[in-house]
Amino acid sequence: MALTTRPEQRPSRAERRPSMALTFWQSTLGKKIVMGVTGLIMIGYLCAHLLGNMKIFFGPGEFNGYGHWLRVMGAPVLHHQWGLWIARIVLVAAVVLHAVSAYQLSRRDIKARPQGYVHAKPRMSYATRTMRWGGVILALFIVWHILDLTTGTTHSGGFQEGHPYQNVVDTFSTWYGNVIYIVAMLAMGMHVQHGFWSAAQTLGAGSRSRDRALKATANGLAILLTAGFISIPVGVMTGVVS
């Protein structure tokens, strides 16, 4: 009598091991690494964005020319606005991953200590304590900023497509435009200061010999970016940019 063997059954989806990418994403360390990398991408964008925005102090020709270059960036290899849309997609992906990671890590932290701390940690900086609210403020600001100067939906004056200089002057000619922008830039500065330091530690760049340099870099970046961006509405208010 011949022996028969049962065919080996494949494991069900529920029994299969999750992929390495999913395992990485589900881990606390993985989320912190995602936050660190995406945070550095956004800081890089802010530095490049500030350099471009500084052209507003050289007159409408320079600034409008910069706005035109953004739309033809990568030409003739890339089609009209393709380079700009690639940059937008990368930035949006970084913002979403950063926000989702921050939210999920926050929820895990709350579950780990549901009653919370009675007192804040003695060495916790003001920037650290306000990271969550700072993130919310920046998220709301990004929405307003796009609706104001990209789509023109909430623009205070007559939005002029292809004339970013005049659009910026219109926005910062209103008191609420200045208040919204300056408050958001202060929140951004605190976010950058703490975020750069945290990213360096998470990604393994921190050490006793480099901690002082990393802290100085984080403080310098925060001050430079905050002062640089705030100088634009101040320039409009004082008539330097008009």
Side-chain angles (χ1 to χ4, degrees):
M1 183 175 179
L3 295 175
T4 58
T5 58
R6 297 176 62 186
E8 185 177 350
Q9 295 182 350
R10 293 183 179 180
S12 64
R13 289 187 177 181
E15 295 173 339
R16 293 177 187 174
R17 292 183 178 179
S19 64
M20 291 181 62
L22 182 59
T23 302
F24 174 81
W25 169 251
Q26 291 176 338
S27 68
T28 297
L29 178 60
K31 292 183 187 300
K32 288 184 177 180
I33 291 175
V34 169
M35 277 195 69
V37 172
T38 53
L40 292 178
I41 290 173
M42 289 186 285
I43 290 175
Y45 164 78
L46 288 172
C47 291
H49 192 48
L50 177 60
L51 285 174
N53 282 359
M54 288 296 97
K55 287 183 173 290
I56 200 168
F57 291 103
F58 297 93
E62 285 280 339
F63 195 67
N64 290 340
Y66 165 65
H68 173 72
W69 174 81
L70 288 176
R71 287 165 172 76
V72 299
M73 181 173 52
V77 177
L78 299 178
H79 193 59
H80 185 68
Q81 292 197 20
W82 280 16
L84 181 59
W85 275 106
I86 290 172
R88 285 172 174 170
I89 291 170
V90 171
L91 186 61
V92 168
V95 170
V96 171
L97 287 172
H98 193 82
V100 171
S101 298
Y103 174 76
Q104 292 182 350
L105 285 171
S106 176
R107 297 302 301 173
R108 289 186 180 184
D109 189 42
I110 292 172
K111 288 181 179 180
R113 47 178 180 82
Q115 294 182 349
Y117 293 120
V118 176
H119 300 288
K121 294 180 180 179
R123 293 187 178 182
M124 187 179 291
S125 68
Y126 182 75
T128 303
R129 295 195 300 270
T130 57
M131 280 293 282
R132 293 174 185 173
W133 282 112
V136 172
I137 291 172
L138 290 174
L140 294 174
F141 166 76
I142 290 171
V143 174
W144 173 81
H145 197 52
I146 291 173
L147 293 176
D148 179 38
L149 293 176
T150 301
T151 66
T153 306
T154 61
H155 191 66
S156 56
F159 184 77
Q160 301 180 45
E161 183 69 34
H163 294 81
Y165 183 92
Q166 189 57 48
N167 294 333
V168 169
V169 171
D170 287 343
T171 292
F172 296 134
S173 295
T174 62
W175 68 267
Y176 59 85
N178 291 316
V179 170
I180 292 172
Y181 194 85
I182 291 173
V183 169
M185 291 306 99
L186 292 173
M188 178 271 299
M190 290 189 291
H191 217 76
V192 167
Q193 188 272 336
H194 178 73
F196 181 86
W197 169 254
S198 297
Q201 302 305 310
T202 299
L203 299 176
S207 67
R208 290 185 179 180
S209 60
R210 291 193 292 266
D211 278 356
R212 182 174 296 179
L214 288 171
K215 288 181 179 179
T217 303
N219 293 333
L221 272 173
I223 293 171
L224 178 65
L225 289 171
T226 304
F229 281 116
I230 289 179
S231 70
I232 299 171
V234 170
V236 175
M237 285 189 287
T238 57
V240 175
V241 177
S242 61

